Each structure stands twice: as C-alpha cells, then as structure tokens.
Amino acid sequence: MVQIYMDHAATTRPDPEVVNAMLPFYHEFFGNASSLHSFGQEAAQALVSSRKTLADFIGAEPEEIIFTSGGTESDNLALKGIAYLKRNKGKHIITSVIEHPAILNTCKYLGDLGYGITFVPVDNQGLVDPVDVEDAIIDDTILISIMHSNNEIGTIQPIKEISTIARKHGVLVHTDAVQSVGKMPVNVNDLGVDLLSISAHKIYGPKGVGALYVRKGTRLQGLSQGGSHEMSKRAGTENIPGIVGMAKAAELAKQRLEGDTKYLENLRDTMIKKILDSIPESYLNGHPTKRLCNNVHVRFSYVEGESLLMMLDMKGVAVSTGSACSSKSLDPSHVLAALGIIPEEIHGNLRITLGRENTMDEVDYVVEKLIDIVKKLRAMSPIVPKN
Amino acid sequence: MYSEKVMDHFSNPRNVGEIEDADGVGEVGNPVCGDMMTIYIKVEDGKLTDIKFKTFGCGAAIATSSMITEMAMGMTIEEALDITRDSVADALDGLPPVKLHCSNLAADGLHAAIEDYLNKKEAGN
C-alpha cells in the first residue's frame, strides 16, 4: 500500500539521527541536570551544549533560550509572562486575526483578565499590513505578537518591518516562528524580535519540547512556581532527551536549510502549477511568493474538504483541511474566513505540506489522485452548476 | 473515527445521481454551512420505487445519504416517513457525536422529498 505523508505542518517524522542522539539520555545519561554528582553533570553538560546549538541556529546567545514543552507553552510564556510583568506599565497587546490558537486563545484569556487586545486584519493573501500595526499602538501597548508564517496558508509576515515600528514606539515584539524555523532563515537579530517561539517536532525533532527565545534584558514572569530551572523562567526538571533531540534537529536543519528550501520550493511550485492547470475551478490560498517553501494550500469549488482528505487517505496520502466538517467545533478555519473567501468555497480546501522525504514522483501521484477525487466528488455534488 | 460501514458507503456510495422525472425532490442544508443534500424519489402505488441523491459535504454526510437511499428503497411512504435520524446513524453502526447532524440532514432530506411528492399529489387532485 502506498503511504505518502504530506502533512509536515502538523508534525514531521523524527530524523533517525535525532532519535539516535536522544537514546543515550534515556538509557545511560538519565541523571537530573540539577544533581551535583556525575550522573547529573552529564545531563547538565548536554543541556549546556544543546542550548548553545539551538541559540546558534537562530543567531541568539545561549542564555536567551528557555526550553519549554513546545510551541504552545512558548507562546503562553511569551504573552502571559510579558503581560503579567508589565501590567503596571500597560495592558494592551496587538496580534493578528490569523494567529495559531496558542496565541489567539491566550490573548482572549488575557482579554478576560482585563487586558485590551487588538486583532489586526490581513489582506486576501493573508498578509498583515505594518501600517495597521502601527495605527493600533497606543500608550498602553506593551507587546505585539504576530506569527512569522501562518500554519495553514504559509503566508510569511513582514516581521522585520513590524519590529522596526515597535522599537520606535518602545513596544516589545514576539513572533511565533514554529512553522518558519527550518524552512527559511530565522535569525532573531535580522528579525529584530524580542521573543520568538520554536517547536522541535516541526523540524524533524521530538514532540513535547520547544523553546522560547527571550532577548537579553527582556524581563518576563515565569508561569509555574518551582525550582530555579531555565533561569527561573520555567520551573521543572528539564526534558534532557527531548532537548538533546531538539538540538540535533536544529543542527541538521541548519546544515540542510539551503538545500531543503530549494528542493521543497521546486516540489511546491510544480505541485501548485499541476493542480491549478489540471483541475478546473481550483484556486491557491495565501500568497503566491511570500509563502513557506513547503506549503500548498488550495481550494476546489463544489466539494468539501473532509471528503477530499478521506478519499486521499484511502489512496495512502495524508494531508489536512481547514473545512468546518473536519473541525470539532464545526466552524471553518478562522484563517480562511479572514482571507474573505466566500462561505460556499471555504469548505473545499486542502493543506498539503511537503517535507524532506517527499519526491517528485509522490507529487505526481498525489496530483493524479486528486484529479480523480475532485471529479468523483463533483459528480456527486448538488451545487455544481448545470451545463 | 468512522465505522467500517460509514467508510463503505462513503467510498462506494449507492444511488448517486438525479431522477429526471422525479415525483418528489427534497433539498436540505446549505453550502455556506458545508453540507447540502438533494434527494429524488419515484413513487408507484404508494411505494418508493427509485431514490437517488446528490450531496455536498463531509464523509458522514455522503455516507448517511447513501445509507438512507438504501434503507428507504421499496418502502411504503408511511414506512419511509418512519425512518428517523437515529435509525440512519444506527444502520451505519453509529457516527461520531460531532457528525450526528449529518444523519439529521439525510432523514430531513428524505422526508422533504416525500412531502414534496405529497404536496404535488394534493395539488394535482
């Protein structure tokens, strides 16, 4: 049976080198990094070197990295950690309407606590306008959090411009870079951000580990009270195997970045062209060029996304959709809604996210199956116009 | 997530299509909400002699459409009106809770087609 995984925005298969790097930290070097004996010191050493590797990967200093349990925790720590500490200075946060739920719902939570939240809009390709961000800044603004690239449509935001504006107004900037890290150069100084979230499992690393970059001199309040781990910003015994795995994944991503990006862009562009050329009334969602190298997000009139996904799954192809029927809430994707896609068309979308191990033959196979499936579903659809 | 029966009806849906000279047509749902179903029936001597459907929607919507056409085929009008939302879901060995509204759609679609037939019949008399 064919098995083609094209859902790399959801998660990636851990690289065998990553798993191999982690295993000794389960079997042999199991010590607690806080312990003074040799077992502990082996773990502590691994923590130090992993922190350095990850810092190097994003152009940061080791002491600017806080290891967390993943992207969601990093986002929570950034937003709440700044909001709690700066509440006497101001209580206004700016974010965008297409953020990941880890940001959106944290902002809503802070909103319930009495913070003011401004959600800036995006254009029909998913881009935030830095002018809108600047216009939203008030005296009370303490933080701007805009994602580096969108997890659904892959649109890459002008973070550098936003950071420049923020700096001018003395406002901190956080970016959720969970999707962009490993798929484009991510350097905290080029971006000019104060805080940046990363997740390991999106870059062929293990699940359950991530990091938050916090620029030197930026104070934030930890969210759980406990020991003095992670510069007292994140209490709890460190997940050493996970952290070692994340560092290995970052090291590989750094080595492979240029090659991977070129390879994936070629697969992406070929796939988009083939789909749009061979399936009538198919459209690309998101930005044509300011988009992640591995993101193909398309929609097809008159069909529904979950049906598309399931039929592809029966052909051995794993993808994702933002259709309402695929969500537990039965609401269509807030990202697609924000693009202004007409409601009748919002359901028939597919997110295909490519990865290192995908090949051009796989792209051809998936497009071929997709042509048949869209045809089959349209033959069944009562909303296809007659004639 | 879905039972084998749901997957069977989804991948090989029965009675897909339209009936040109249908005696009753039921149209329910709305493409804006993500699912819409049209059911066509032929009636002879008070019995459903042919049923076809067209559905825009998720796997569960397609499977319930297919299932209800199979269940109702050959039934009398009265029997078909007795098919409930629950009986379609039961015939498919259940649906995930979030998808139960799809079985509502199928039952409502069939009942709407029968109502259309009865209204036309009454208007004709």
Side-chain angles (χ1 to χ4, degrees):
Chain A
M1 161 97 176
V2 178
Q3 266 205 315
I4 299 176
Y5 186 79
M6 290 195 178
D7 198 12
H8 292 84
T11 195
T12 55
R13 185 197 304 272
D15 192 289
E17 279 194 56
V18 166
V19 178
N20 284 335
M22 292 171 70
L23 288 177
F25 291 87
Y26 286 111
H27 298 308
E28 213 177 324
F29 311 121
F30 62 88
N32 184 325
S34 300
S35 301
L36 293 177
H37 47 63
S38 62
F39 292 85
Q41 289 313 296
E42 282 155 352
Q45 191 46 50
L47 183 58
V48 168
S49 65
S50 297
R51 200 186 303 282
K52 179 158 182 5
T53 304
L54 189 65
D56 284 347
F57 180 46
I58 57 168
E61 298 296 326
E63 59 272 25
E64 294 175 314
I65 302 291
I66 298 172
F67 286 110
T68 66
S69 64
T72 293
E73 190 194 331
S74 296
D75 286 347
N76 270 267
L77 179 57
L79 267 57
K80 293 178 190 165
I82 295 295
Y84 293 165
L85 199 80
K86 287 193 173 281
R87 64 186 184 279
N88 291 325
K89 183 181 178 288
K91 294 182 87 173
H92 179 242
I93 295 169
I94 299 167
T95 187
S96 85
V97 290
I98 62 162
E99 297 295 312
H100 187 275
I103 294 291
L104 279 186
N105 290 332
T106 304
C107 283
K108 285 176 191 163
Y109 168 81
L110 288 168
D112 290 343
L113 290 187
Y115 289 82
I117 314 288
T118 300
F119 297 92
V120 296
V122 292
D123 68 12
N124 61 8
Q125 293 176 324
L127 272 179
V128 169
D129 186 343
V131 174
D132 288 340
V133 175
E134 183 154 31
D135 288 348
I137 297 175
I138 54 176
D139 288 346
D140 215 28
T141 308
I142 49 175
L143 179 67
I144 296 167
S145 178
I146 306 283
M147 69 203 319
H148 192 198
S149 67
N150 183 263
N151 51 305
E152 291 186 39
I153 53 172
T155 300
I156 298 164
Q157 302 297 346
I159 297 300
K160 201 174 176 166
E161 286 89 322
I162 292 168
S163 297
T164 307
I165 290 166
R167 189 127 307 166
K168 206 168 74 187
H169 293 272
V171 176
L172 295 174
V173 177
H174 166 254
T175 192
D176 177 338
V178 163
Q179 291 292 345
S180 57
V181 163
K183 295 181 203 112
M184 59 186 288
V186 174
N187 180 297
V188 291
N189 295 316
D190 289 348
L191 291 172
V193 294
D194 303 289
L195 304 116
L196 180 141
S197 301
I198 314 179
S199 167
H201 76 102
K202 309 288 192 189
I203 57 167
Y204 307 91
K207 290 164 186 67
V209 58
L212 178 67
Y213 158 80
V214 184
R215 185 173 291 278
K216 218 179 284 176
T218 306
R219 293 173 57 232
L220 95 171
Q221 190 171 312
L223 303 184
S224 49
Q225 280 61 53
S228 58
H229 315 86
E230 300 297 296
M231 290 77 80
S232 298
K233 298 297 188 291
R234 204 264 183 179
T237 298
E238 302 86 350
N239 169 11
I240 300 296
I243 288 168
V244 167
M246 183 175 190
K248 180 49 96 175
E251 184 190 316
L252 295 174
K254 191 177 177 184
Q255 286 165 13
R256 303 188 54 152
L257 185 63
E258 212 184 313
D260 273 4
T261 310
K262 273 193 193 138
Y263 177 73
L264 290 169
E265 271 173 355
N266 183 36
L267 289 188
R268 174 196 70 184
D269 293 341
T270 306
M271 190 168 208
I272 290 173
K273 187 172 181 341
K274 284 190 176 185
I275 290 173
L276 299 186
D277 284 354
S278 56
I279 302 180
E281 294 183 82
S282 58
Y283 309 92
L284 180 70
N285 298 318
H287 199 282
T289 53
K290 290 174 186 166
R291 100 184 273 127
L292 286 180
C293 60
N294 73 329
N295 181 293
V296 176
H297 202 294
V298 282
R299 68 178 191 277
F300 308 97
S301 304
Y302 322 124
V303 298
E304 191 280 324
E306 195 216 62
S307 294
L308 287 167
L309 181 152
M310 283 173 58
M311 287 202 172
L312 279 172
D313 192 35
M314 290 191 286
K315 301 289 176 195
V317 181
V319 299
S320 164
T321 174
S323 107
C325 298
S326 69
S327 74
K328 288 182 182 128
S329 63
L330 297 181
D331 290 326
S333 143
H334 67 286
V335 176
L336 299 177
L339 302 183
I341 294 172
I342 56 167
E344 288 87 337
E345 293 215 334
I346 211 163
H347 305 286
N349 66 82
L350 278 187
R351 180 186 73 177
I352 303 168
T353 43
L354 303 158
R356 259 179 212 166
E357 72 268 32
N358 290 135
T359 63
M360 197 56 94
D361 283 347
E362 290 180 337
V363 166
D364 289 341
Y365 174 88
V366 174
V367 173
E368 191 187 303
K369 295 299 163 203
L370 197 52
I371 293 170
D372 293 346
I373 289 167
V374 171
K375 225 177 253 173
K376 183 176 174 184
L377 287 173
R378 282 181 177 169
M380 241 188 263
S381 172
I383 58 173
V384 176
K386 308 270 181 213
N387 73 52
Chain B
M1 176 174 130
Y2 288 130
S3 71
E4 267 178 45
K5 269 201 182 155
V6 172
M7 290 309 290
D8 175 37
H9 276 267
F10 170 66
S11 45
N12 301 297
R14 282 63 142 175
N15 307 309
V16 175
E18 297 174 14
I19 301 176
E20 287 279 318
D21 54 343
D23 296 317
V25 181
E27 195 177 279
V28 289
N30 185 329
V32 172
C33 307
D35 44 22
M36 184 173 163
M37 195 177 290
T38 310
I39 293 194
Y40 302 83
I41 55 168
K42 280 297 272 184
V43 184
E44 266 172 55
D45 301 329
K47 277 190 176 176
L48 296 175
T49 52
D50 197 9
I51 312 180
K52 292 225 180 309
F53 81 90
K54 279 203 159 181
T55 292
F56 160 79
C58 65
I62 290 170
T64 51
S65 312
S66 166
M67 189 65 197
I68 206 166
T69 61
E70 205 168 60
M71 287 167 77
M73 192 78 81
M75 277 187 172
T76 64
I77 294 287
E78 292 72 26
E79 287 167 339
L81 282 171
D82 275 346
I83 296 178
T84 63
R85 301 161 164 197
D86 290 343
S87 53
V88 187
D90 288 347
L92 286 166
D93 293 338
L95 285 170
V98 72
K99 297 288 186 180
L100 281 170
H101 74 283
C102 294
S103 57
N104 298 353
L105 199 67
D108 293 351
L110 177 67
H111 295 168
I114 294 173
E115 222 162 275
D116 181 49
Y117 159 74
L118 293 173
N119 287 342
K120 278 181 187 158
K121 202 173 131 191
E122 201 168 301
N125 282 346

